Amino acid sequence: MTAHLELPAPTQTTCPQGVRDAVRNDQWREAGIALWEGLTCVTLPGLLAAAAVAVAQFAILACWVTPDFVSRVDEGYLVYSPIDDFAMVTKLSLQIQRSDPDSLQVVFAGPSTTRESVLDDRRMEADLESLVGEPVRFWLAASSWQSFWETAAIVDHLPAGYRGAVLIGITPGRLSRNVDFLARLLDKPQVALDSPSFDREIKIAGLAVPRKTGIYLWDHARFFAARRAAVWRLLWGPMPYHRNRYADKPRWTEAHWQQWESKVAARWGANMEQCKDANLAVLDRILDTLDAQGIRSALVHTPMDEQRLRAVGPDWYPLYIDAVHQYAAQRGVPFWDLNEEVGVTTDDFFDWGHFRRPKTQLRYQAKLAQKVGPLIQKYARPTP
Amino acid sequence: MISACRKIGWTIQVVIMGEALLLALVSLYALQSDARVFRYAGF
């Protein structure tokens, strides 16, 4: 394989140019062959070293992907798709946890109808500041199908000494979640949050709490593995996240309703009667947690096309309405239904509860700010 | 120089195999656990 040519040193002036080139070419060829042999010859030490490299790389990743990192990373590198609310809520919750507890804050958690009820967070903050005389940080921690179990996890991320209020969006869907839904959350976690309240709810539901190692990346491996395609964004750049996604979309036609009505009714109607009390009990424990920290809370009946829902669920929609009104009265927690005050009409909705008109969203959030202002007034320290 | 080239080749091989091993393990885990973003069926 190796041929040693006994030739004069290339520096010798007597050596012809052609011979010198031959020597050089031959050395490069031998070096190339050696490089190729090193690359392709698989040995046991090589395999062991490769395994060590893999372990080291995972260890570096585990040290790098921490809650602190996720709270700071551009969400465009985290989201699975432009509508991945779950990654966004994870990031927001971790940001809330790291926020200054001394600043006045409002967290609004809920499902997609909650998400679509607020269009402009900065305008909401300006409205609140003008009401209470102090800057207010507003966080919309809303995600599709968010259950009270996930809200409990979000609430666990309020910083110690949190000054402000927590608003919780209420919908029929939230009262009809069954234990199967929680089991699916364990199998396919929506959020990557370590939460004692969430773990407590798993135990109460009679399910096994997943073992924790204390290594964030490892404990939430399924959440991150589901988003493994995000690795390619390191090459192609971040993916924009779209929070309000029904703006100016045409309303559902009757054909759409015929297609979806039975699903809505089956999902919510079938579970409402047997699940509403258990879900309200989860909500009750969330409010207990907030009360224990001296944090004011309010329930917000998120925007809904009531006329349509009463028609879709003549048996379960009244059950839901009675249950939430009764619960709020017994608990003594504010329950705001702003539909009438805002003057929403059927035409404002994309479907049963997602606003499709930016102007309606702005009207709704302005009215919501008017309600929130007095709720957080007692925490306010007006600037002189 | 020949020996150095062989070592460089071996090092590149180890790094590539290490990367591939990690990628393979993550993919295997994702497949085995069916890790994907949860969709609430029907909606």
Side-chain angles (χ1 to χ4, degrees):
Chain A
M1 185 67 73
T2 55
H4 299 283
L5 296 175
E6 296 296 333
L7 289 169
T11 50
Q12 278 182 299
T13 51
T14 52
C15 181
Q17 183 66 35
V19 175
R20 287 213 302 273
D21 289 347
V23 171
R24 199 173 292 125
N25 288 343
D26 206 53
Q27 281 180 338
W28 278 116
R29 193 174 67 84
E30 284 185 35
I33 288 166
L35 187 74
W36 181 250
E37 279 175 357
L39 263 172
T40 55
C41 182
V42 179
T43 59
L44 185 62
L47 284 173
L48 291 174
V53 165
V55 170
Q57 276 194 336
F58 184 80
I60 291 166
L61 272 177
C63 291
W64 187 41
V65 182
T66 60
D68 203 41
F69 169 80
V70 172
S71 75
R72 284 185 286 107
V73 73
D74 181 338
E75 61 267 13
Y77 290 105
L78 198 62
V79 295
Y80 165 79
S81 73
I83 59 169
D84 186 359
D85 299 330
F86 319 116
M88 195 61 199
V89 159
T90 298
K91 178 185 164 166
L92 281 178
S93 301
L94 295 169
Q95 280 186 324
I96 292 168
Q97 192 177 36
R98 283 152 184 78
S99 64
D100 177 10
D102 202 44
S103 62
L104 190 53
Q105 307 187 64
V106 174
V107 172
F108 190 12
S112 57
T113 45
T114 301
R115 185 193 65 221
E116 299 298 332
S117 67
V118 176
L119 181 69
D120 187 342
D121 294 6
R122 300 293 84 84
R123 187 185 283 207
M124 184 80 177
E125 288 173 348
D127 287 351
L128 289 170
E129 184 179 352
S130 69
L131 285 166
V132 300
E134 182 190 343
V136 179
R137 182 74 201 261
F138 178 78
W139 305 90
L140 186 64
S143 53
S144 296
W145 327 298
Q146 191 182 106
S147 62
F148 288 131
W149 295 302
E150 293 151 280
T151 304
I154 294 166
V155 165
D156 265 358
H157 285 72
L158 300 179
Y162 176 84
R163 194 164 65 94
V166 172
L167 314 178
I168 299 174
I170 304 290
T171 62
R174 304 196 93 181
L175 259 66
S176 60
R177 296 278 183 268
N178 57 17
V179 177
D180 290 347
F181 187 91
L182 181 57
R184 288 194 62 183
L185 286 183
L186 292 178
D187 186 45
K188 300 197 182 348
Q190 306 256 57
V191 290
L193 298 174
D194 293 315
S195 159
S197 297
F198 187 73
D199 291 349
R200 181 190 62 195
E201 293 301 334
I202 297 168
K203 276 185 201 160
I204 292 171
L207 301 171
V209 180
R211 282 186 185 175
K212 297 274 167 67
T213 61
I215 302 167
Y216 182 69
L217 183 64
W218 185 272
D219 291 341
H220 301 283
R222 287 185 184 207
F223 174 89
F224 289 108
R227 288 163 179 78
R228 60 194 177 280
V231 169
W232 299 113
R233 309 244 173 78
L234 294 171
L235 299 175
W236 301 328
M239 177 182 275
Y241 166 72
H242 298 302
R243 191 178 81 184
N244 300 101
R245 60 202 63 156
Y246 298 101
D248 298 321
K249 279 197 171 181
R251 266 183 64 70
W252 266 8
T253 61
E254 280 310 311
H256 284 113
W257 271 108
Q258 279 174 10
Q259 185 189 346
W260 291 100
E261 199 173 271
S262 58
K263 285 182 180 172
V264 171
R267 180 65 47 78
W268 295 350
N271 295 334
M272 185 64 72
E273 193 158 8
Q274 64 268 35
C275 295
K276 64 182 170 50
D277 292 335
N279 283 295
L280 286 172
V282 181
L283 174 62
D284 210 41
R285 288 188 283 276
I286 295 171
L287 297 180
D288 284 345
T289 305
L290 294 170
D291 285 353
Q293 297 173 60
I295 298 167
R296 297 189 82 170
S297 53
L299 308 181
V300 183
H301 190 222
T302 59
M304 249 169 250
D305 185 350
E306 292 217 33
Q307 200 182 346
R308 176 64 83 164
L309 283 177
R310 281 190 188 278
V312 173
D315 47 346
W316 54 264
Y317 192 75
L319 263 181
Y320 155 74
I321 289 290
D322 288 350
V324 289
H325 276 98
Q326 200 180 344
Y327 172 77
Q330 277 175 359
R331 174 89 199 186
V333 62
F335 179 69
W336 302 331
D337 184 351
L338 307 179
N339 270 12
E340 269 192 44
E341 288 182 55
V342 175
V344 295
T345 65
T346 295
D347 207 37
D348 288 319
F349 293 101
F350 169 72
D351 47 26
W352 67 85
H354 300 96
F355 278 149
R356 68 187 190 94
R357 288 187 164 154
K359 279 184 181 172
T360 313
Q361 288 168 310
L362 291 174
R363 265 195 352 254
Y364 187 93
Q365 70 170 68
K367 190 61 76 176
L368 183 64
Q370 285 174 16
K371 291 276 185 186
V372 177
L375 191 74
I376 56 171
Q377 192 69 59
K378 79 161 192 170
Y379 304 106
R381 299 172 194 150
T383 44
Chain B
M1 182 183 166
I2 302 299
S3 168
C5 284
R6 193 170 284 116
K7 279 178 187 168
I8 290 168
W10 185 84
T11 307
I12 294 170
Q13 183 207 80
V14 163
V15 170
I16 290 172
M17 281 206 306
E19 298 273 1
L21 186 62
L22 186 64
L23 199 66
L25 288 174
V26 169
S27 300
L28 204 64
Y29 170 79
L31 282 174
Q32 179 266 328
S33 62
D34 192 23
R36 55 195 157 94
V37 177
F38 172 42
R39 302 290 303 174
Y40 191 27
F43 287 94

